[in-house]
Amino acid sequence: FSNLKEDIERLNEIISDNFSFQKTKREAFIDLSHQLYESLIAPLENDLKGKSQLMIVLEGSLFHLPFELLLKSNEKKPYSELDFLLKKYEINYHYSASAYLKLKEKNTPKDYSFLGFAPVFESGARFSNSTRSLDFMTDSIYRSFNEDKFVALLNTQKEIETIAALLQSKGQTKILVHKEATKANLSASLESKPFQFIHIATHGLVNYKNPKLSALACYA
């Protein structure tokens, strides 16, 4: 574990490299991914027998590790033939083991009720799908801004309305969009009744060093 942070950074460098298809880089990826598997997953293999789902609670450098890509074998094969962890398990992530266990204790309603939340920011809406820079998508903390305003997420209102249309004949639907999408309205809606489906379409601000300071962008 002494080089865990460096190994994760190196793995992400290879993944994001435009030439990762080259044999030398692919083999470097295989060796590094297998090494991380041996450190993080192999010691738990006996406990994972018979399991099909993994809930991973992250901390520190592990926030940057795509567990889906870890390899049990370091056999040199094409990417399509590698035994990625994702091929064996359904993988989910959570910030807190305690919070996850409390959520599991709650009874989920089965009434097709739906709550949709989309602030639909206007800044940057002029960018089309073809001209919109990928830079805006690479870092949710800094790249989400345009002239000190959140960049619009295209089609978020359409997302909310489409889902609501599918469910409104079966259950209660509630939509919070534009300036109705405030923290106060969201909190009040969540406290008023349990919803079976909740869809939040907005920017997320992630603080990796202190996850408790992470946030969702909304109107004041």
Side-chain angles (χ1 to χ4, degrees), residues 115-144:
L115 173 63
F117 182 88
V120 194
F121 304 105
E122 301 298 333
S123 180
R126 67 184 182 279
F127 296 115
S128 66
N129 286 327
S130 59
T131 61
R132 188 178 178 85
S133 171
L134 289 177
D135 288 341
F136 286 121
M137 309 304 291
T138 58
D139 190 320
S140 64
I141 299 180
Y142 303 108
R143 305 285 182 165
S144 299

Side-chain angles (χ1 to χ4, degrees), residues 10 64 85 88 95 127 205 212:
R10 177 56 184 151
H64 303 277
L85 195 64
K88 187 173 183 180
Y95 290 105
F127 296 115
L205 304 181
K212 291 183 179 180

Side-chain angles (χ1 to χ4, degrees), residues 126-181:
R126 67 184 182 279
F127 296 115
S128 66
N129 286 327
S130 59
T131 61
R132 188 178 178 85
S133 171
L134 289 177
D135 288 341
F136 286 121
M137 309 304 291
T138 58
D139 190 320
S140 64
I141 299 180
Y142 303 108
R143 305 285 182 165
S144 299
F145 296 95
N146 179 46
E147 298 178 352
D148 296 325
K149 297 180 180 180
F150 282 106
V151 174
L153 294 172
L154 302 181
N155 299 316
T156 52
Q157 182 172 353
K158 184 178 181 180
E159 284 180 22
I160 296 294
E161 292 175 346
T162 300
I163 298 172
L166 292 172
L167 296 172
Q168 64 184 3
S169 63
K170 299 180 179 181
Q172 179 184 353
T173 60
K174 184 172 184 178
I175 296 177
L176 299 173
V177 295
H178 292 282
K179 294 188 177 181
E180 290 295 313

Side-chain angles (χ1 to χ4, degrees), residues 16-216:
S16 60
D17 194 319
N18 291 331
F19 295 95
S20 59
F21 60 86
Q22 292 179 342
K23 181 180 179 181
T24 54
K25 293 188 181 295
R26 174 167 52 83
E27 293 185 350
F29 165 81
I30 291 172
D31 288 334
L32 191 52
S33 180
H34 173 67
Q35 180 179 319
L36 287 165
Y37 179 97
E38 287 293 302
S39 298
L40 299 168
I41 305 298
L44 305 172
E45 283 183 339
N46 287 336
D47 298 313
L48 297 178
K49 288 181 178 178
K51 303 293 191 299
S52 61
Q53 298 177 325
L54 295 183
M55 175 60 72
I56 301 173
V57 181
L58 303 169
E59 184 175 347
S61 300
L62 295 179
F63 275 102
H64 303 277
L65 176 61
F67 279 80
E68 292 87 347
L69 302 185
L70 298 186
L71 299 170
K72 182 174 183 178
S73 169
N74 63 349
E75 186 177 353
K76 305 304 185 290
K77 297 179 179 180
Y79 281 114
S80 60
E81 299 178 14
L82 295 177
D83 59 341
F84 294 115
L85 195 64
L86 181 63
K87 292 183 177 180
K88 187 173 183 180
Y89 301 101
E90 175 188 328
I91 299 175
N92 296 285
Y93 298 91
H94 210 284
Y95 290 105
S96 165
S98 298
Y100 171 66
L101 291 175
K102 286 184 179 179
L103 287 172
K104 288 192 68 176
E105 294 174 358
K106 292 186 176 182
N107 293 323
T108 302
K110 305 294 183 182
D111 57 0
Y112 293 96
S113 54
F114 170 74
L115 173 63
F117 182 88
V120 194
F121 304 105
E122 301 298 333
S123 180
R126 67 184 182 279
F127 296 115
S128 66
N129 286 327
S130 59
T131 61
R132 188 178 178 85
S133 171
L134 289 177
D135 288 341
F136 286 121
M137 309 304 291
T138 58
D139 190 320
S140 64
I141 299 180
Y142 303 108
R143 305 285 182 165
S144 299
F145 296 95
N146 179 46
E147 298 178 352
D148 296 325
K149 297 180 180 180
F150 282 106
V151 174
L153 294 172
L154 302 181
N155 299 316
T156 52
Q157 182 172 353
K158 184 178 181 180
E159 284 180 22
I160 296 294
E161 292 175 346
T162 300
I163 298 172
L166 292 172
L167 296 172
Q168 64 184 3
S169 63
K170 299 180 179 181
Q172 179 184 353
T173 60
K174 184 172 184 178
I175 296 177
L176 299 173
V177 295
H178 292 282
K179 294 188 177 181
E180 290 295 313
T182 65
K183 176 182 177 181
N185 286 343
L186 178 60
S187 297
S189 298
L190 292 173
E191 292 173 0
S192 66
K193 71 176 300 295
F195 291 89
Q196 182 175 356
F197 303 106
I198 301 173
H199 185 80
I200 297 178
T202 186
H203 289 287
L205 304 181
V206 181
N207 188 317
Y208 292 108
K209 292 184 178 180
N210 190 346
K212 291 183 179 180
L213 297 181
S214 298
L216 295 174

